[in-house]
Amino acid sequence: QVQLVESGGGLVQAGGSLRLSCTASGRTFSSYVMGWFRQAPGKEREFVAAISRSGGSTYYADSVKGRFTISKNNAKNEVYLQMNSLKPEDTAVYYCAASSRFITSMRDDYDYWGQGTQVTVSS
């Protein structure tokens, strides 16, 4: 069992930056692929980024490539999402997720989810 808690959301102007953090409980954090998803009002939850168990491989949605960076610290049981050049369309609740499978963008492949943190980008 893994429990995930996100933090770092908030209100930022377009063009600004935020760094989200996700802290995991349990001693097997390094055995999970970690991902970030987001859900805007009235829309389905969509993939943002994922990182492999070792942190050596990353995978991004086209909409955030070049602006967002995912990273992890296995010693601290933490995964991060650095978000730069934010746009109003990035406004959403951002969720951290853990998968016991392979690095993937598929929502159903993730076993554990956090409660989410709100990111609002004003124009």
Side-chain angles (χ1 to χ4, degrees):
Q1 190 82 2
V2 176
Q3 291 186 326
L4 304 172
V5 179
E6 303 95 336
S7 62
L11 174 64
V12 63
Q13 289 189 330
S17 298
L18 279 176
R19 187 192 194 213
L20 305 183
S21 298
C22 173
T23 302
S25 65
R27 292 176 287 180
T28 59
F29 177 76
S30 61
S31 65
Y32 290 95
V33 166
M34 299 301 297
W36 286 96
F37 288 74
R38 66 187 182 186
Q39 188 166 17
K43 295 188 177 181
E44 290 192 356
R45 193 170 299 188
E46 65 175 7
F47 171 75
V48 175
I51 190 165
S52 63
R53 291 169 177 80
S54 67
S57 296
T58 55
Y59 181 29
Y60 295 94
D62 287 344
S63 58
V64 306
K65 203 172 293 183
R67 300 188 298 124
F68 291 10
T69 302
I70 188 171
S71 60
K72 68 182 321 201
N73 185 326
N74 285 336
K76 293 186 176 181
N77 282 13
E78 293 181 343
V79 61
Y80 312 102
L81 186 68
Q82 178 67 43
M83 305 185 294
N84 299 328
S85 303
L86 282 161
K87 305 175 181 180
E89 51 263 44
D90 293 318
T91 295
V93 176
Y94 282 71
Y95 297 90
C96 172
S99 173
S100 58
R101 301 168 182 81
F102 39 81
I103 191 167
T104 173
S105 63
M106 301 300 293
R107 189 176 55 196
D108 290 346
D109 287 334
Y110 286 82
D111 308 295
Y112 303 102
W113 293 84
Q115 300 275 48
T117 185
Q118 176 71 46
V119 171
T120 303
V121 185
S122 63
S123 57

